[in-house]
Amino acid sequence: MSASPAVAAAFQDWKLAEVAVHYACPCPDVIMDQLTDRAGVLFERLQALTPANADDMLLQVYPILVREFEPKRGEPPLLLSMSSLNNYEPAFVDRLNRQLASVCPAIAEAMSVPHQTPTLGEAA
């Protein structure tokens, strides 16, 4: 089974918007506001689709998990991190990352986006 084309495309759009927010930081507030608004619109668009199978559902749930397990600054932008709302064990978060990546290539690709490299003037 694989994700339907509509959900796969909507997931890709959301992923690119989230990565754009990550790589744009720091930037002027007006730009960041537009980028985060766009990512929010694409999140809602993905969530509004009707899943046709389990892969579709997984692609729709993953952005919700990213919001719950928001990556910290300096970490890969779409790799689940420790939750600021709940006290999950680090081993649980690591296992969740591995299991999600092993069952869904699109999520594995999203998780593999590297963290932002230092800009000129920052230590390498």
Side-chain angles (χ1 to χ4, degrees), residues 7 10 13 35 39 41 49 53 55-56 77 82 87 96 124:
V7 171
D13 290 346
L35 289 172
V41 166
L49 296 172
N53 55 50
D55 287 347
D56 284 358
M82 295 307 298
N87 293 320
L96 184 60

Side-chain angles (χ1 to χ4, degrees), residues 77-95:
L78 298 176
L79 183 67
L80 304 182
S81 185
M82 295 307 298
S83 173
S84 60
L85 303 175
N86 296 297
N87 293 320
Y88 296 106
E89 292 293 323
F92 168 76
V93 178
D94 291 342
R95 186 173 62 249

Side-chain angles (χ1 to χ4, degrees), residues 3 7 47 51-64:
V7 171
Q47 299 308 315
N53 55 50
D55 287 347
D56 284 358
M57 191 67 196
L58 193 56
L59 291 180
Q60 288 180 302
V61 168
Y62 186 71
I64 296 168

Side-chain angles (χ1 to χ4, degrees), residues 14 38-48 60 63-64 67:
W14 166 81
R38 179 70 178 149
V41 166
L42 293 170
F43 173 88
E44 294 299 330
R45 187 175 294 157
L46 173 61
Q47 299 308 315
Q60 288 180 302
I64 296 168
R67 286 183 173 188

Side-chain angles (χ1 to χ4, degrees), residues 7-76:
V7 171
F11 179 82
Q12 181 72 5
D13 290 346
W14 166 81
K15 178 187 85 172
L16 292 174
E18 285 293 321
V19 171
V21 168
H22 175 78
Y23 282 110
C25 189
C27 69
D29 288 346
V30 66
I31 294 172
M32 185 55 71
D33 289 347
Q34 290 177 7
L35 289 172
T36 56
D37 287 350
R38 179 70 178 149
V41 166
L42 293 170
F43 173 88
E44 294 299 330
R45 187 175 294 157
L46 173 61
Q47 299 308 315
L49 296 172
T50 301
N53 55 50
D55 287 347
D56 284 358
M57 191 67 196
L58 193 56
L59 291 180
Q60 288 180 302
V61 168
Y62 186 71
I64 296 168
L65 290 174
V66 168
R67 286 183 173 188
E68 171 67 17
F69 296 92
E70 183 175 5
K72 307 296 184 274
R73 186 180 181 108
E75 294 180 349

